Amino acid sequence: MAKYDDRLDRHFSALGDATRRSILARLARGRATVGELAAPHDMSLPSFLGHLRKLEEAGLITTAKDGRVRVCQLAPDAFAPAQDWLAEQREIWTGRLDRFDAYVATLKNERDP
Amino acid sequence: MAKYDDRLDRHFSALGDATRRSILARLARGRATVGELAAPHDMSLPSFLGHLRKLEEAGLITTAKDGRVRVCQLAPDAFAPAQDWLAEQREIWTGRLDRFDAYVATLKNERDP
DNA sequence: CGCATACTTAGCTACATGGCTAAGTATGAC
DNA sequence: GTCATACTTAGCCATGTAGCTAAGTATGCG
């Protein structure tokens, strides 16, 4: 269980930064090199590489060296862990609301038969 | 735009911690007091309160003082911002894959008319 | 009133994060 | 071989995060 927790920790933490979300949004439109990804960001390359490394450690992207450039792309099913966790919580929450609605309906029926 | 970014930053960052996700999972099953929420966590109360404060600042939960207890519950549509962002990215990514599939199909047709 | 309960605030420490510059390595072009 | 390009590594600094203890406030009970 701790293993899944760690994975989700890295996953959500990586998403908790606007620079990194912007990188992901760019990669959702197709693969790109480090240089292409870095260009729009007013930041030194080493700093930018730190963000890429976090995304890769979180399993959100994969990278591969091709000659002297590194090509980055979204990992397959990159967002699945986050989406699954969120969907699960909302299902539990929604289920609770449904039961509450049913309870309220019962009360109404008892009051106005 | 920076405003939405900040909101998502806090939102995803708050989710990037197993203790906080566990609090949310508990609250998805119904409201609870600070003491009830803290009980399963081997942690001092001040430390635990720090997590609750982060969740509240991220807009994921709401809390209200009732006598000497504080009651916590999930915010309405708590997970919507995160789910919306993730769904949006996946749509872009899926669209790209669809276009790529179409491109591959075109190539095949040209080769095998 | 007196006391227990349930937070709450203040203040501290250790470590992680995000940024930088400077210098190094590896590859492609000439 | 020489040189520019495209990262990459090393090392430093400021800030934020997560934990703690100790002490304070506010509410409910007898």
Side-chain angles (χ1 to χ4, degrees), chain A residues 37-52:
Chain A
L37 289 172
H41 298 280
D42 188 16
M43 183 183 298
S44 72
L45 199 53
S47 303
F48 186 78
L49 281 173
H51 289 298
L52 283 184

Side-chain angles (χ1 to χ4, degrees), chain B residues 29-103:
Chain B
R29 287 168 168 83
R31 58 177 57 187
T33 67
V34 169
E36 288 166 353
L37 289 172
H41 297 280
D42 187 15
M43 186 184 296
S44 74
L45 198 54
S47 304
F48 186 79
L49 281 173
H51 289 297
L52 283 183
R53 186 160 40 255
K54 281 226 153 177
L55 288 170
E56 191 165 15
E57 284 169 0
L60 284 161
I61 69 171
T62 61
T63 77
K65 205 70 188 277
D66 176 17
R68 66 183 159 173
V69 306
R70 178 172 292 278
V71 178
C72 310
Q73 57 183 323
L74 277 193
D77 279 323
F79 303 120
Q83 287 190 307
D84 289 351
W85 189 89
L86 291 167
E88 189 184 331
Q89 301 314 314
R90 195 160 69 171
E91 265 173 42
I92 294 166
W93 173 248
T94 307
R96 198 192 77 91
L97 285 183
D98 289 350
R99 284 198 299 280
F100 181 72
D101 288 348
Y103 175 64

Side-chain angles (χ1 to χ4, degrees), chain A residues 35-105:
Chain A
E36 288 166 353
L37 289 172
H41 298 280
D42 188 16
M43 183 183 298
S44 72
L45 199 53
S47 303
F48 186 78
L49 281 173
H51 289 298
L52 283 184
R53 186 160 40 254
K54 282 227 153 173
L55 288 171
E56 191 165 15
E57 284 169 359
L60 284 162
I61 69 171
T62 61
T63 76
K65 204 69 188 276
D66 177 16
R68 67 184 158 171
V69 305
R70 178 172 291 276
V71 178
C72 309
Q73 57 185 323
L74 275 193
D77 279 324
F79 302 120
Q83 286 189 307
D84 289 353
W85 189 88
L86 291 167
E88 190 184 331
Q89 301 316 314
R90 195 162 69 171
E91 266 174 40
I92 295 165
W93 173 248
T94 308
R96 199 191 76 91
L97 284 183
D98 288 352
R99 284 197 300 281
F100 179 72
D101 287 349
Y103 174 65
V104 170

